Amino acid sequence: MAFTIDLSGKTAVITGSNSGIGLGIAWELARAGADIVLNSFTDDDADHALAQQMAEECNVTARYIKADMSKGEECRRLIAEAGKCDILVNNAGIQHVAPIPDFPVEKWDAIIAINLSSAFHTTAEALPMMRKAGWGRVINIASAHGLTASPYKSAYIAAKHGIVGLSKTTALETAKELITCNAICPGYVLTPIVEKQIPDTMKEYDMSREEVIDQVMLTRQPSREFATVEQMGGTATFLCSDAAAQITGTTISVDGGWTAL
Ligand code: NAD
């Protein structure tokens, strides 16, 4: 049997998808034929325009639903409003960098809520829909920091290790059904979340932008190259294919060798 990836008739909800990795994944799923629900906490013309562009270019249905992933009830409303959710990509995430004694409590709470608890809420709401449809894919965007640690990123690393655990439990609870759940663990990808860390790191180490990228960020990425949002999209699309039907409860690293070190 030859495996092809045709997601027409499936609806994919991608949290935090008006930029970066979430948007890259949405584009690849749309190219494979899935109908798309984009999301973030803003409600700008540009957000809705993205959905319209995706619908036109990929000949799918695409819409944008505003929902704040820091709030459990908003996470659940997103899925309910989508109406159908065959593919759930839990991608929304933020970062804050500080030593533990100085780590602002409100940042800790926000990171745990957005990067971890949101996935619990959306999954809880989406699984009954997947069961009704008799098919489903839950894809959680963890990180190389879901498998390893770095100093000063306590909340992010706790949340990303947590979402790896949540992925395993989701996989076990759905193992006998045509539903899978896995975590993608990207290394560094040059998106706004990473861009924002560059100026502070330049100041901290008194380095140029190029030096920060090469000597701070990519030192742990043996390929010495950023991974791309298209590669994340391709990995997510593969996880939706029949070839990946027995891949569940695991992590897929897309990190240029980071976790092999
Ligand atoms: P990004 O800042 O471009 O994307 C984050 C997305 O989350 C944006 O669309 C943003 O609007 C959305 N978001 C933030 N707060 C939200 C909220 N309260 N409600 C709804 N949406 C919200 O960054 P990215 O790099 O694309 O990050 C996407 C995911 O990938 C995150 O979970 C991040 O931790 C993970 N990741 C990124 C990298 C990397 O190097 N860029 C590496 C590993 C993992």
Side-chain angles (χ1 to χ4, degrees), residues 126-137:
L127 283 183
M129 292 183 182
M130 293 178 182
R131 289 189 165 123
K132 202 167 159 204
W135 189 92
R137 294 286 188 267

Side-chain angles (χ1 to χ4, degrees), residues 50 73 82 105 189 233:
L50 267 177
E73 67 278 14
V105 174
V189 186

Side-chain angles (χ1 to χ4, degrees), residues 97 145 149-153 187-188 194 197-222 224-226 258 261:
V97 180
H145 278 131
S150 298
Y152 314 129
K153 296 183 176 178
Y188 271 112
V194 171
Q197 296 173 49
I198 294 177
D200 284 349
T201 318
M202 285 168 65
K203 262 190 244 148
E204 197 181 325
Y205 291 98
D206 191 23
M207 283 178 172
S208 69
R209 179 185 163 83
E210 290 66 34
E211 285 168 333
V212 163
I213 289 174
D214 188 59
Q215 292 167 36
V216 181
M217 291 184 158
L218 295 181
T219 42
R220 293 182 74 178
Q221 200 143 307
R224 288 290 172 118
E225 279 187 32
F226 284 109
W258 178 328
L261 275 175

Side-chain angles (χ1 to χ4, degrees), residues 123-189:
T123 303
E125 197 72 21
L127 283 183
M129 292 183 182
M130 293 178 182
R131 289 189 165 123
K132 202 167 159 204
W135 189 92
R137 294 286 188 267
V138 181
I139 300 169
N140 293 325
I141 306 307
S143 168
H145 278 131
L147 303 167
T148 65
S150 298
Y152 314 129
K153 296 183 176 178
S154 54
Y156 187 85
I157 282 156
K160 293 300 185 184
H161 277 69
I163 205 165
V164 168
L166 176 65
S167 307
K168 292 179 187 175
T169 297
T170 306
L172 292 180
E173 291 188 17
T174 56
K176 287 235 159 77
E177 303 164 87
L178 296 181
I179 297 171
T180 68
C181 178
N182 294 287
I184 297 178
C185 295
Y188 271 112
V189 186

Side-chain angles (χ1 to χ4, degrees), residues 16 18-19 21 40 68-69 91 142 156 160 187 189 191-194:
N18 65 351
S19 81
I21 291 173
S40 187
D68 182 349
M69 292 300 102
N91 168 78
Y156 187 85
K160 293 300 185 184
V189 186
T191 63
I193 211 174
V194 171

Side-chain angles (χ1 to χ4, degrees), residues 104-124:
V105 174
E106 62 279 9
K107 290 283 182 196
W108 171 275
D109 289 343
I111 290 173
I112 298 299
I114 296 168
N115 297 22
L116 176 58
S117 301
S118 68
F120 160 70
H121 292 294
T122 54
T123 303

